Protein backbone atom coordinates (compact mmCIF):
# COMPACT_ATOMS: atom_id res chain seq x y z
CA UNK A 1 0.00 0.00 0.00
CA UNK A 2 2.88 2.36 0.76
CA UNK A 3 4.33 1.86 -2.72
CA UNK A 4 0.98 2.80 -4.29
CA UNK A 5 0.63 5.86 -2.02
CA UNK A 6 4.11 7.09 -2.88
CA UNK A 7 3.63 6.59 -6.62
CA UNK A 8 0.16 8.16 -6.56
CA UNK A 9 1.75 11.53 -5.76
CA UNK A 10 3.57 11.35 -9.10
CA UNK A 11 0.53 9.92 -10.91
CA UNK A 12 -1.88 12.75 -10.03
CA UNK A 13 -1.05 14.84 -13.08
CA UNK A 14 -0.98 11.83 -15.43
CA UNK A 15 -4.58 10.55 -15.05
CA UNK A 16 -3.61 8.64 -11.86
CA UNK A 17 -1.87 5.93 -13.89
CA UNK A 18 0.34 3.55 -11.95
CA UNK A 19 2.22 0.84 -13.81
CA UNK A 20 3.11 -2.64 -12.56
CA UNK A 21 6.11 -4.37 -14.15
CA UNK A 22 6.13 -7.98 -12.97
CA UNK A 23 9.30 -10.07 -13.10
CA UNK A 24 10.28 -13.39 -11.51
CA UNK A 25 11.38 -11.85 -8.21
CA UNK A 26 9.92 -8.35 -8.01
CA UNK A 27 6.97 -6.11 -8.73
CA UNK A 28 8.05 -2.67 -9.87
CA UNK A 29 5.42 -0.03 -9.16
CA UNK A 30 6.01 3.18 -11.10
CA UNK A 31 4.42 6.47 -12.04
CA UNK A 32 5.63 9.56 -13.84
CA UNK A 33 4.55 13.07 -14.54
CA UNK A 34 6.31 15.50 -16.87
CA UNK A 35 6.09 18.37 -14.37
CA UNK A 36 6.73 16.47 -11.11
CA UNK A 37 9.09 13.67 -12.11
CA UNK A 38 8.93 9.93 -11.72
CA UNK A 39 9.02 7.36 -8.96
CA UNK A 40 9.75 3.64 -8.91
CA UNK A 41 9.28 1.26 -5.99
CA UNK A 42 10.32 -2.41 -6.03
CA UNK A 43 8.44 -5.03 -4.01
CA UNK A 44 9.67 -8.58 -3.52
CA UNK A 45 7.24 -11.17 -4.94
CA UNK A 46 6.90 -14.82 -5.86
CA UNK A 47 5.79 -15.22 -9.47
CA UNK A 48 3.93 -18.21 -10.88
CA UNK A 49 3.60 -17.66 -14.61
CA UNK A 50 4.91 -15.18 -17.14
CA UNK A 51 6.48 -11.79 -16.63
CA UNK A 52 4.14 -8.99 -17.69
CA UNK A 53 3.17 -5.33 -17.37
CA UNK A 54 -0.16 -3.69 -16.56
CA UNK A 55 -1.40 -0.22 -15.56
CA UNK A 56 -4.16 0.76 -13.13
CA UNK A 57 -5.80 3.87 -11.76
CA UNK A 58 -4.07 4.58 -8.43
CA UNK A 59 -7.36 5.49 -6.74
CA UNK A 60 -8.89 2.08 -7.44
CA UNK A 61 -5.81 0.33 -6.04
CA UNK A 62 -5.80 2.47 -2.90
CA UNK A 63 -9.53 1.92 -2.35
CA UNK A 64 -9.05 -1.85 -2.51
CA UNK A 65 -5.92 -1.91 -0.35
CA UNK A 66 -7.48 0.30 2.34
CA UNK A 67 -10.32 -2.22 2.72
CA UNK A 68 -7.95 -5.17 3.15
CA UNK A 69 -6.05 -5.78 6.38
CA UNK A 70 -3.83 -8.55 5.03
CA UNK A 71 -0.10 -8.52 4.43
CA UNK A 72 -0.05 -11.10 1.62
CA UNK A 73 -2.26 -10.72 -1.45
CA UNK A 74 -2.52 -12.82 -4.58
CA UNK A 75 -2.62 -10.93 -7.88
CA UNK A 76 -3.72 -12.68 -11.07
CA UNK A 77 -3.77 -11.39 -14.64
CA UNK A 78 -4.07 -12.78 -18.16
CA UNK A 79 -2.61 -9.81 -20.03
CA UNK A 80 -2.27 -6.04 -19.89
CA UNK A 81 -5.81 -5.42 -21.21
CA UNK A 82 -7.67 -7.95 -19.03
CA UNK A 83 -8.86 -7.21 -15.48
CA UNK A 84 -6.46 -7.65 -12.58
CA UNK A 85 -7.77 -10.05 -9.94
CA UNK A 86 -6.79 -9.47 -6.31
CA UNK A 87 -7.34 -12.16 -3.66
CA UNK A 88 -6.41 -12.69 -0.04
CA UNK A 89 -4.17 -15.71 0.31
CA UNK A 90 -6.13 -18.49 2.01
CA UNK A 91 -9.48 -16.62 1.99
CA UNK A 92 -11.84 -17.60 -0.82
CA UNK A 93 -14.47 -15.07 0.30
CA UNK A 94 -12.52 -12.06 -1.02
CA UNK A 95 -12.22 -11.30 -4.73
CA UNK A 96 -11.60 -7.85 -6.20
CA UNK A 97 -11.38 -6.99 -9.91
CA UNK A 98 -9.82 -3.82 -11.27
CA UNK A 99 -9.92 -2.94 -14.95
CA UNK A 100 -6.57 -1.89 -16.37
CA UNK A 101 -5.77 1.31 -18.20
CA UNK A 102 -4.52 1.09 -21.76
CA UNK A 103 -1.15 2.82 -21.90
CA UNK A 104 0.61 3.77 -25.12
CA UNK A 105 4.38 3.49 -24.91
Amino acid sequence: MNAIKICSVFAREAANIIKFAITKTKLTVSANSPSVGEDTVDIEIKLNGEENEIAFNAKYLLDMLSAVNEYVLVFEMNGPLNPGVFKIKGDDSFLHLIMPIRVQE
Side-chain angles (χ1 to χ4, degrees):
M1 185 166 182
N2 289 335
I4 305 297
K5 283 183 180 179
I6 292 167
C7 286
S8 69
V9 172
F10 293 85
R12 286 185 186 145
E13 292 184 21
N16 277 334
I17 296 173
I18 289 188
K19 297 178 186 176
F20 285 3
I22 304 159
T23 63
K24 293 287 182 194
T25 58
K26 69 180 177 180
L27 166 65
T28 301
V29 180
S30 64
N32 63 36
S33 170
S35 62
V36 178
E38 66 180 287
D39 186 45
T40 302
V41 179
D42 291 331
I43 302 169
E44 186 178 321
I45 64 166
K46 294 179 185 175
L47 175 66
N48 295 327
E50 300 177 8
E51 296 181 356
N52 218 324
E53 293 184 358
I54 193 166
F56 294 107
N57 184 310
K59 182 177 179 348
Y60 299 151
L61 290 168
L62 288 171
D63 286 348
M64 184 269 303
L65 291 171
S66 66
V68 175
N69 293 325
E70 296 294 326
Y71 184 71
V72 178
L73 292 177
V74 176
F75 172 66
E76 298 175 356
M77 65 179 282
N78 287 327
L81 300 178
N82 294 324
V85 179
F86 296 85
K87 298 178 181 180
I88 295 174
K89 187 174 183 175
D91 182 0
D92 293 336
S93 67
F94 180 84
L95 175 77
H96 191 87
L97 300 175
I98 300 179
M99 292 301 295
I101 296 174
R102 185 181 302 227
V103 179
Q104 294 181 352
E105 297 291 328

